[in-house]
Amino acid sequence: MSKSPAHKATALIVDDEPDILELVSITCARLGVVAGTAGSLAEARGLLARRSFDLCLTDMRLPDGDGIELVREIGAHHPETPVAMITAYGNMESAVTAMKAGAFDFVAKPLDLHVLRDLIHAALKLGAPLAPAVTDADGSDSGLLGTSAQMREIRTLIAKLARNQAPVFISGASGTGKELAARLVHSFGPRADAPFVPVNCGAIPNELVESELFGHRKGSFTGAVSDKQGLFQAAQGGTLFLDEIADLPLPMQVKLLRAIQQKSVRPVGAEREVQVDVRIISASHHDLKQAVDRGAFRQDLFYRINVIELFIPPLRERPEDIDILADSILGRIAAQIGGEPQRLSADARAALHGHDFPGNVRELENILERATALSDAAVLEVADLRLPDRQASAAETQPGGSDAAESVAPTSSQPQAADAADADIDIGDRPLEAKLDEIEKKAILKALDTTHWNRTAAAKLLGMTPRSLRYRLSKLGLD
């Protein structure tokens, strides 16, 4: 809630340890927050019945009940009051349970004053009303377009997720808009003024993952010629988006789990850990539960990052969103190049509705960008879209196909890859590295176009692993 200049923020502190009550009250006072204290659930309920608070901080174990009860009661009767949980050191199961019940964050005992102050600041920011755009019917202002019931539900959930600090796992096939959803959770929350740092975990070579995430000290390994800040530190106060988290090697998963639980990182070569205040949002097009069953992903890390799951459905399951997406993409293209947006004929729209879109929204963007580049007509027809044959498209979406597949590839893969690599390229007087980059870029784009932007199939077509393809896409600025 917004405050008048004369109004001081208030906090309800609930704990049966007098020392904790005193410490938190003093910290609040130094931040200009008036604290009310209670030593039991009954006292807390009595205070809540008489007055409102801008924040509640409650212990997990109380003499007459469980702090989770208070979290649920405040969520039901005082939804505008964010609640944070005080948990025992190392008891992450309690912290996760609290956030699933509605707590926006947690702080572990013994209380770290830096962490406590950051938590109080974040909680008070939640008092500001969310921008209504995130729940607009068509998503026109939020950027998450669609009139389908699925997209309306997703926008509503994003509005709720923005009001807490619980880790979010975004699932869905490649190209559905997982990073956009993560950016919206960040943008509509209390961390909106701080950095949003996205990182594609699958694009970082295994030997560099720790240095990229946590940073390193000069001389800590060959090539470390200076101190380097990690991505956790770069996201300080904001959100770290770990895309394709399933691709992290197992040894790094252990270190990531510790960083999330302790809210601190140790740069490579450093003697001490560094406190970090970041919200973790992760995503993958893989089924993490299956990865856990296979032993490819740690169960404890999965439990920690998957406090709340946000599923983004494939485009083929929400065909009613195709028209608004297509019109938006055409408008964006026109804004970039100048002039009036090209339109789709009725037949072209029908053709798009009949397409399976194995590459989802990203594939739709690719189709329309190609069509507008090759056609000067005001109205785009079916032929301008160059949609793949329906039979070939259906073959790719069979079990074992699409983004989850590891074995689908066009039958004439080697000649097609060779054609892409042998394409006539104007190399001019540029350095050899630039020439090779252009050849590689053209080959990758041809393979992606041939496989309708199915990255797994494109990787097989090019004779490389999906991980290598993701790295090269990132390197060439194509991801």
Side-chain angles (χ1 to χ4, degrees):
M1 65 191 75
S2 59
K3 309 288 185 301
S4 65
H7 179 85
K8 279 194 171 184
T10 57
L12 172 61
I13 317 301
V14 188
D15 201 298
D16 60 344
E17 296 183 43
D19 290 347
I20 296 292
L21 290 177
E22 183 179 7
L23 176 62
V24 179
S25 297
I26 292 173
T27 302
C28 287
R30 289 175 177 172
L31 296 175
V33 178
V34 178
T37 60
S40 65
L41 275 177
E43 287 184 44
R45 287 166 177 153
L47 287 172
L48 286 166
R50 295 193 296 272
R51 56 184 293 195
S52 62
F53 292 90
D54 302 305
L55 160 68
C56 176
L57 189 62
T58 179
D59 193 13
M60 175 67 75
R61 295 185 177 180
L62 296 167
D64 54 348
D66 193 323
I68 297 291
E69 297 178 43
L70 189 59
V71 171
R72 294 194 176 102
E73 288 178 20
I74 291 178
H77 304 294
H78 310 276
E80 73 285 353
T81 302
V83 186
M85 182 66 67
I86 301 173
T87 65
Y89 177 78
N91 191 353
M92 293 309 302
E93 184 175 347
S94 296
V96 171
T97 301
M99 287 190 285
K100 286 183 179 290
F104 85 96
D105 206 349
F106 73 96
V107 60
K109 295 179 181 178
L111 299 182
D112 183 295
L113 293 184
H114 292 289
V115 174
L116 181 60
R117 283 195 290 267
D118 289 339
L119 183 148
I120 293 171
H121 281 304
L124 296 179
K125 286 183 181 179
L126 289 175
L130 287 171
V134 75
T135 54
D136 280 354
D138 63 357
S140 57
D141 292 327
S142 72
L144 199 62
L145 301 177
T147 57
S148 62
Q150 297 102 311
M151 296 310 294
R152 291 197 300 270
E153 182 178 349
I154 287 171
R155 287 194 292 271
T156 299
L157 182 55
I158 285 175
K160 293 179 180 178
L161 295 179
R163 288 187 56 81
N164 65 43
Q165 306 302 299
V168 177
F169 175 67
I170 306 176
S171 60
S174 292
T176 50
K178 296 189 290 295
E179 181 173 340
L180 174 58
R183 287 183 181 275
L184 287 173
V185 173
H186 169 80
S187 298
F188 290 101
R191 297 177 179 267
D193 295 334
F196 175 89
V197 178
V199 52
N200 188 331
C201 298
I204 308 174
N206 287 0
E207 63 274 14
L208 296 179
V209 174
E210 185 174 4
S211 172
E212 287 293 312
L213 290 181
F214 302 155
H216 63 249
R217 295 290 179 258
K218 179 180 179 180
S220 57
F221 56 86
T222 302
V225 297
S226 62
D227 289 353
K228 179 184 177 182
Q229 184 186 62
L231 295 171
F232 265 85
Q233 296 98 312
Q236 177 66 21
T239 300
L240 181 63
F241 176 54
L242 300 172
D243 197 10
E244 297 303 343
I245 194 172
D247 289 335
L248 281 177
L250 282 169
M252 192 61 224
Q253 292 178 24
V254 178
K255 296 179 179 180
L256 175 61
L257 176 63
R258 175 175 173 79
I260 295 174
Q261 292 186 164
Q262 304 304 323
K263 296 188 177 182
S264 63
V265 299
R266 177 176 294 175
V268 178
E271 296 182 358
R272 297 180 180 179
E273 292 188 339
V274 179
Q275 291 290 328
V276 289
D277 172 31
V278 299
R279 182 182 191 178
I280 299 294
I281 300 179
S282 55
S284 178
H285 73 276
H286 293 291
D287 187 325
L288 280 194
K289 291 182 180 177
Q290 291 183 5
V292 169
D293 292 340
R294 295 195 313 269
F297 199 83
R298 291 183 61 92
Q299 185 175 31
D300 47 6
L301 179 58
F302 170 71
Y303 181 69
R304 186 66 188 88
I305 64 172
N306 192 34
V307 174
I308 303 173
E309 182 173 355
L310 175 62
F311 173 67
I312 310 295
L315 187 55
R316 66 177 176 272
E317 292 183 4
R318 47 188 181 96
E320 58 266 54
D321 294 337
I322 291 175
D323 284 341
I324 189 172
L325 284 166
D327 291 339
S328 175
I329 293 167
L330 290 174
R332 186 177 70 241
I333 294 172
Q336 291 171 348
I337 63 177
E340 291 296 317
Q342 291 168 284
R343 294 177 288 108
L344 292 165
S345 70
D347 288 342
R349 290 185 184 275
L352 288 177
H353 279 267
H355 183 50
D356 288 331
F357 287 104
N360 295 293
V361 179
R362 187 181 295 124
E363 182 185 358
L364 176 60
E365 291 176 339
N366 175 259
I367 289 170
L368 295 178
E369 286 173 358
R370 180 180 59 204
T372 55
L374 298 178
S375 174
D376 294 326
V379 178
L380 298 174
E381 301 293 345
V382 175
D384 298 318
L385 301 179
R386 299 191 178 189
L387 293 177
D389 180 75
R390 285 292 301 273
Q391 185 175 358
S393 178
E396 289 189 6
T397 57
Q398 293 302 312
S402 92
D403 290 304
E406 296 294 334
S407 60
V408 176
T411 55
S412 56
S413 59
Q414 292 180 349
Q416 289 169 338
D419 289 345
D422 292 339
D424 183 23
I425 298 173
D426 180 14
I427 57 179
D429 296 323
R430 289 168 297 161
L432 177 61
E433 184 176 354
K435 301 172 187 177
L436 293 176
D437 282 349
E438 183 168 351
I439 294 172
E440 183 179 19
K441 184 175 182 179
K442 191 155 189 171
I444 289 175
L445 288 173
K446 178 67 179 293
L448 287 168
D449 191 50
T450 300
T451 60
H452 320 307
W453 284 77
N454 183 324
R455 295 190 184 190
T456 302
K460 186 171 183 179
L461 177 63
L462 291 164
M464 64 177 68
T465 65
R467 183 184 183 89
S468 296
L469 177 59
R470 284 193 293 271
Y471 177 71
R472 296 185 186 190
L473 287 170
S474 177
K475 175 186 173 184
L476 297 170
L478 297 174
D479 58 343

